[in-house]
């Protein structure tokens, strides 16, 4: 068995009540802070080999020949595989469209595409051998934007498309198209007293997780393979991997290894198939670990976008119509682009009441890096644009930007552009009121805090001077994000809960396939079990494919869906324990009588005492185990022509106020504060919820002022694949992030909760941009903002 990376069972208990609504500490928290936690890159097997991937040096080129002879002759090399060596006729994979080759065949479509894989007895040997593989390329013209993708006679990224979306698009280089049409925009436009138009550019963002892609594939005696992997969705990986290996799914066992962040970048496969292929070919365990350079090429990124908006309003500030077109660059392969298009279109006007809309969203095939899921998933790009438009309209009308938003804010009962009615709380106006009412940080704080350590001041050491050219700005933004999978996807999760006596104490074990990627799901599952079963000690079983699917750790869905499954399973276990107790003791056992009352009420109990003793007496040597699924309400696909349909199951809302200080002479920005108000329905673990909001807010800050993958427009090659040149916020850049939690229960969700993790990423970026505009008076229609945009030098 591999060591140093396979997660052990995590036990939470003794010493705390730790039920729903309490800020319980994470069992993996101390290990992660001290550096003792075992991530997937820490795994080790005594006789393992190391895998390495040879990647394309061109973005679009025909492969004329591949010579692996010199690599195979290298001492220590056990295998070199190309497309022609794959074991089955299934040689492509994909989340929604199976268009991605396991290894390039015929041509490469993006810079860094995998061409060959090597297994050797040392990682440096594998790298040196890969460098000896000779690939003869004939470079082809590149498709890099809408103009080159859809021009007459355009080069086709995929020459022979055969997928379910091809019939709904006007050109083969368009992955997917989704219009949303309601009302009469032409008539509404004539009623408008003010019309504002804007064109916006949104850069390509990297998920920038700190734990690179890594995994260990171990061949098994039955001819199968066991993959220990850092991923977001074990069963989706399994569905794509098994056909390529030519194995039934029950002979491809998968166990979640320690995940060092994800944010959408681990939804797609990276090295999973490659490690399994090499392990099966050599008969030895194979480990693959990307370095940072490889990681930039090894996973999808956030779609860059160009957005064109037209908003109209009456003189008293009521929105009349919205017309917009959103063009997302999906890169060389489809990944999650169709779903991202659906989100961008259906959420494209934001959390506002507008009766007349004409929206079109498309995703392109290009030779740029593939793009797919990232926190916010299509809604982020749209929010950046529509919030800039709301500020421009407010300025034209002479209205306060917050009051203008509140006047047009949606609420429960609002009809969305898709025709779906919002049937849960939508406190948009209240969130704006709350965030505006928060105390402001002091101005020119370095002057009013003489003698204070600048590191303790809001905004810390981020990059502004304290000179005369520093100007303060304040900006606001609010966003809407769907929760869970949409458009008719059968979104469900599975949980297995077992209750038994261990060491004289009743213990619950929760087993799901949920990927713990840092969101804190393992804590919530234990809280649910304590609340529903009345036990103090809960063990979280390592996630693997020996239990039913939990779906992806994405779309802010895991607490909602897998939490719902855990609750359902716990309720069934509780019923069986009650039945067992009544059968054994009736009402004559004092400790059991107390336990029975608490179980019926679903209350948490403390450690020890008669209650736990009563549960232990009932169970004796028996165990009660239940595996249960939970599905949220069904959704439906959007109509391909009108976009009408009940496509989403739940919505989340967050509002931000950004306070910035801009050095207008140097073009430097310090974000002093990013205050947030968010409706979370029910905070199952308030500490974890606040952490999620602050983390999402910080990612939005990065998108606003520093993060962008730069791709050469002539060659489609990535120019900055490293953390030296791709900058992410550090603790020194992170501002004060006060959070105001609003808890308005959604009656359709478990415990009334609302997905939390993505909404703050939407509104933080446009809030920062609004604050910078307020400070400088500049239009700033692209993100991220660079110094040259503020000084007029670029």
């Amino acid at each position: 068995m591999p060591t140093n990376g396979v997660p052990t069972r995590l036990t939470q208990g003794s010493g705390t009540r730790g039920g729903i609504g309490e800020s319980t500490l994470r069992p993996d928290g101390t290990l992660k802070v001290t550096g003792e936690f075992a991530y997937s890159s820490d795994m080790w097997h005594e006789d393992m080999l190391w895998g390495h991937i040879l990647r394309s040096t061109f973005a679009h080129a025909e492969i004329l020949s591949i010579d692996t002879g010199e690599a195979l002759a290298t001492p220590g090399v056990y295998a070199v595989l190309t497309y022609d060596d794959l074991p089955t006729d299934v040689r492509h994979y994909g989340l929604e469209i199976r268009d991605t080759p396991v290894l390039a065949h015929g041509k490469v479509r993006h810079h860094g595409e995998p061409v060959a894989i090597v297994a050797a007895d040392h990682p440096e040997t594998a790298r040196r051998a890969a460098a000896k593989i000779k690939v003869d390329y004939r470079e082809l013209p590149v498709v890099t934007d809408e103009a080159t993708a859809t021009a007459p006679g355009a080069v086709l990224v995929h020459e022979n498309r055969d997928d379910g979306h091809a019939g709904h698009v006007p050109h083969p280089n368009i992955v997917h198209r989704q219009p949303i049409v309601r009302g009469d925009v032409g008539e509404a436009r004539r009623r408008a007293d003010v019309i504002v138009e804007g064109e916006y550019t949104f850069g390509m963002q990297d998920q920038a997780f700190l734990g690179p892609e890594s995994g260990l594939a171990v061949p098994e005696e039955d001819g199968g393979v066991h993959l220990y992997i850092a991923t977001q969705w074990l069963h989706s990986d399994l569905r794509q991997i098994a056909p390529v290996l030519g194995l039934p799914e029950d002979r491809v066992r998968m166990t979640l290894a320690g995940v060092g962040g994800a944010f959408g970048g681990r939804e797609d496969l990276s090295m999973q198939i490659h490690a399994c292929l090499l392990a099966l070919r050599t008969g030895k365990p194979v480990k693959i670990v990307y370095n940072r350079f490889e990681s930039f090429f090894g996973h999808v990124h956030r779609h860059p976008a160009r957005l064109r908006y037209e908003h109209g309003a009456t003189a008293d500030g009521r929105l009349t119509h919205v017309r917009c077109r959103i063009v997302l660059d999906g890169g060389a392969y489809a990944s999650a682009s169709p779903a991202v298009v659906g989100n961008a279109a259906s959420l494209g006007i934001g959390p506002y009441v507008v009766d007349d809309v004409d929206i079109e969203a498309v995703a392109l095939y290009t030779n740029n890096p593939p793009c797919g899921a990232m926190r916010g998933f299509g809604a982020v790009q749209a929010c950046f644009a529509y919030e800039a438009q709301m500020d421009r309209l407010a300025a034209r009308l002479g209205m306060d930007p917050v009051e203008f938003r509140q006047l047009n804010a949606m609420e429960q009962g609002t009809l969305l552009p898709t025709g779906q009615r919002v049937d849960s709380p939508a406190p948009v106006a209240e969130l704006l009121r709350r965030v505006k009412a928060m105390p402001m940080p002091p101005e020119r704080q370095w002057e009013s805090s003489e003698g204070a350590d600048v590191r303790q001041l809001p905004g810390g050491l981020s990059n502004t001077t304290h000179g005369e050219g520093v100007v303060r700005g304040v900006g606001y933004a609010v966003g809407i994000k769907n929760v869970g999978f949409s458009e008719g996807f059968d979104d469900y999760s599975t949980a297995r809960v077992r209750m038994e006596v261990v060491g004289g104490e009743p213990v619950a074990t929760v087993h799901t396939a949920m990927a713990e990627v840092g969101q804190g799901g393992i804590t919530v599952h234990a809280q649910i079990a304590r609340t529903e079963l009345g036990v103090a000690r809960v063990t979280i079983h390592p996630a693997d494919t020996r239990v039913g699917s939990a779906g992806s750790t994405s779309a802010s869905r895991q607490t909602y869906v897998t939490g719902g499954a855990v609750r359902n399973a716990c309720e069934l276990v509780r019923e069986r324990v009650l039945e067992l107790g009544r059968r054994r003791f009736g009402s004559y056992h004092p400790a059991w009588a107390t336990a029975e009352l608490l179980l019926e009420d679903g209350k948490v109990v403390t450690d020890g005492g008669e209650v736990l003793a009563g549960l232990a007496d009932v169970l004796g040597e028996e165990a009660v185990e239940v595996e249960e699924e939970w599905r949220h309400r069904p959704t439906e696909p959007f109509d391909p022509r009108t976009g009408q349909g009940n496509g989403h199951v739940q919505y989340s809302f967050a509002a931000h106020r950004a306070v910035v200080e801009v050095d207008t002479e140097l073009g430097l920005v310090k974000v002093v504060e990013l205050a947030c108000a968010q409706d979370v329905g029910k905070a199952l673990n308030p500490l974890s919820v606040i952490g999620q909001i602050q983390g999402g807010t910080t990612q939005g800050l990065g998108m606003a002022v520093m993060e962008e993958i730069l791709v050469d427009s002539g060659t489609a090659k990535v120019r900055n694949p490293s953390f030296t040149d791709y900058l992410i916020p550090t603790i020194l850049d992170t501002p004060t992030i006060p959070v105001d939690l609003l808890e308005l229960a959604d009656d359709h969700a478990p415990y009334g909760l609302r997905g939390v993790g993505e909404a703050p990423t939407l509104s933080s970026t446009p809030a920062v941009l609004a604050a910078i505009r307020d400070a400088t008076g500049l239009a700033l229609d692209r993100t991220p903002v660079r110094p040259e945009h503020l000084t007029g030098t670029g």
Side-chain angles (χ1 to χ4, degrees), residues 511-595:
H511 186 187
T512 76
M514 179 206 71
E516 173 57 63
V517 301
Q519 82 279 14
I522 53 175
T523 304
V524 169
H525 292 175
Q527 291 177 272
I528 292 172
R530 291 194 196 100
T531 298
E532 299 297 335
L533 297 177
V535 300
R537 188 172 296 279
V538 179
T539 296
I540 304 298
H541 192 285
D544 56 34
T545 50
R546 291 183 295 174
V547 66
S549 177
S552 175
T553 300
S554 61
S556 303
R557 62 177 290 284
Q558 279 293 7
T559 301
Y560 190 125
V561 183
T562 304
V566 172
R567 186 184 70 167
N568 277 11
C570 285
E571 287 175 346
L572 290 174
V573 167
R574 185 174 69 207
E575 289 174 9
R576 294 184 186 181
V577 170
L578 284 168
E579 182 182 348
L580 186 63
R582 288 164 183 157
R583 205 165 56 236
R584 285 190 174 175
F585 296 126
S587 58
Y588 302 105
H589 189 292
W592 166 245
T594 305

Side-chain angles (χ1 to χ4, degrees), residues 687-775:
L687 181 65
S688 181
V689 165
I690 291 172
Q692 283 284 296
I693 292 171
Q694 292 177 331
T697 296
T698 304
Q699 282 189 304
L701 160 68
M703 189 66 238
V705 294
M706 58 181 69
E707 295 187 48
E708 184 176 17
I709 294 177
L710 300 175
V711 181
D712 187 280
S713 60
T715 64
K717 291 187 177 183
V718 178
R719 293 164 49 193
N720 60 334
S722 74
F723 281 170
T724 300
D725 302 304
Y726 181 94
L727 302 180
I728 60 175
T730 69
I731 191 64
L732 299 182
D733 304 299
T734 304
T736 302
I737 309 177
V739 176
D740 185 355
L741 296 183
L742 184 60
E743 296 185 84
L744 300 179
D746 178 354
D747 293 338
H748 306 286
Y751 304 109
L753 67 87
R754 197 182 296 276
V756 170
E758 294 178 285
T761 311
L762 272 67
S763 47
S764 50
T765 298
V768 171
L769 266 290
I772 299 172
R773 293 187 195 105
D774 181 53

Side-chain angles (χ1 to χ4, degrees), residues 79-283:
V80 179
L81 303 181
T82 66
Y83 181 89
D84 292 335
D85 299 309
L86 298 180
T88 73
D89 292 335
V90 180
R91 302 183 180 192
H92 291 71
Y93 64 91
L95 276 178
E96 297 188 40
I97 299 172
R98 189 182 286 177
D99 64 351
T100 308
V102 173
L103 294 167
H105 174 60
K107 70 175 186 176
V108 294
R109 294 180 172 87
H110 70 90
H111 184 204
E113 181 164 356
V115 176
I117 51 178
V118 178
D121 59 6
H122 190 278
E124 289 307 314
T125 302
R127 292 180 189 278
R128 287 197 301 270
K132 295 176 182 179
I133 299 173
K134 296 180 175 63
V135 184
D136 188 10
Y137 295 103
R138 183 174 69 85
E139 196 167 2
L140 300 171
V142 291
V143 175
T144 58
D145 54 22
E146 187 175 23
T148 54
T150 60
V155 173
L156 299 185
V157 179
H158 294 270
E159 298 83 352
N160 302 303
R161 283 188 63 180
D162 182 20
D163 60 69
H165 299 266
H168 302 303
V169 298
H171 192 281
N173 281 340
I174 294 177
V175 184
H176 185 55
R177 174 181 180 268
Q178 181 62 66
I180 308 283
V181 180
R182 188 161 67 89
D184 187 337
V185 167
E187 174 59 30
R189 196 176 194 275
R190 287 189 284 273
R191 298 196 307 269
D193 297 306
V194 172
I195 293 177
V196 171
E197 297 179 344
E199 294 192 17
Y200 304 92
T201 301
F202 196 98
M204 184 186 296
Q205 189 180 17
D206 188 67
Q207 292 86 352
F209 41 73
L210 299 186
E213 291 86 342
S214 51
L216 174 64
V218 182
E220 300 207 310
E221 292 182 357
D222 64 356
V225 65
H226 192 155
L227 178 64
Y228 300 85
I229 185 67
T231 182
Q232 289 180 246
W233 190 352
L234 286 166
H235 285 79
S236 175
D237 288 6
L238 175 62
R239 172 181 56 82
Q240 297 173 78
I241 294 168
V244 176
L245 303 181
L247 294 173
E249 290 187 0
D250 61 3
R251 286 169 62 192
V252 181
R253 182 178 166 191
M254 300 184 64
T255 297
L256 185 72
V259 182
F263 313 114
R266 299 189 202 269
E267 279 207 354
D268 294 77
L269 299 183
S270 56
M271 43 60 63
Q272 286 93 322
I273 295 177
H274 299 149
C276 291
L277 286 169
L278 291 171
L280 292 172
R281 173 60 68 95
T282 63

Side-chain angles (χ1 to χ4, degrees), residues 457-514:
L457 298 175
L461 296 176
S462 53
N463 58 353
T464 52
T465 68
H466 296 163
E468 292 299 321
V470 175
V471 182
R472 168 165 287 199
V474 179
Y476 294 88
V478 64
I480 176 175
K481 175 67 178 67
N482 65 309
V483 173
F485 294 151
S486 304
E487 298 188 57
F489 189 92
D490 183 17
D491 195 4
Y492 73 95
S493 186
T494 313
R496 184 182 300 149
V497 175
R498 179 182 178 90
M499 194 170 175
E500 60 190 324
V501 175
V502 178
E505 180 181 0
V507 173
T509 300
V510 178
H511 186 187
T512 76
M514 179 206 71

Side-chain angles (χ1 to χ4, degrees), residues 282-472:
T282 63
K284 289 179 171 289
V286 174
K287 176 178 177 177
I288 297 179
V289 180
Y290 288 178
N291 60 29
R292 185 57 57 187
F293 177 85
E294 293 171 301
S295 182
F296 268 91
F297 294 106
H299 64 257
V300 298
H301 311 288
R302 189 189 297 284
H303 292 74
R306 294 187 179 275
L307 312 97
R308 186 169 65 247
Y309 271 78
E310 175 186 296
H311 280 68
T314 60
D316 63 354
R318 296 284 182 179
L319 290 172
T320 57
H321 71 281
V322 176
R323 176 182 286 144
C324 74
R325 187 164 189 271
I326 301 169
V327 179
L328 302 159
D329 184 348
Y333 297 107
S335 181
S337 285
V340 173
V341 166
N343 269 16
S346 60
L347 305 175
I349 70 165
Y352 303 110
V353 178
V354 188
D355 292 329
D356 300 279
V357 299
D358 185 351
I359 302 168
E360 180 187 34
V362 300
L364 305 174
Y365 274 129
T366 69
N367 295 119
N368 293 324
C371 292
M374 186 176 173
R375 195 176 198 164
F377 204 81
V380 168
Q381 296 90 325
C383 186
F384 166 66
Y386 65 64
E387 285 300 273
Q389 288 284 100
M390 297 299 282
D391 280 336
R392 290 184 178 185
L393 271 174
R396 285 281 300 277
L397 292 166
M399 296 181 66
D400 177 85
V402 172
E403 293 176 0
F404 176 66
R405 286 173 168 83
Q406 290 175 312
L407 180 65
N408 291 284
M410 64 184 294
E411 57 189 15
Q412 187 167 352
T414 292
L415 197 66
L416 296 173
T418 59
Q420 183 171 7
R421 194 169 299 281
V422 179
D423 62 357
S424 60
V428 179
E430 173 62 14
L431 293 175
L432 287 162
R433 185 196 68 77
R434 285 175 175 243
V435 80
K436 187 176 182 180
M438 289 186 183
M440 292 285 287
E443 293 199 38
R444 300 185 72 82
Q445 55 192 344
W446 61 88
E447 295 177 351
S448 60
S449 305
E450 186 175 351
D453 187 337
V454 70
R455 293 172 295 180
Q456 305 304 315
L457 298 175
L461 296 176
S462 53
N463 58 353
T464 52
T465 68
H466 296 163
E468 292 299 321
V470 175
V471 182
R472 168 165 287 199

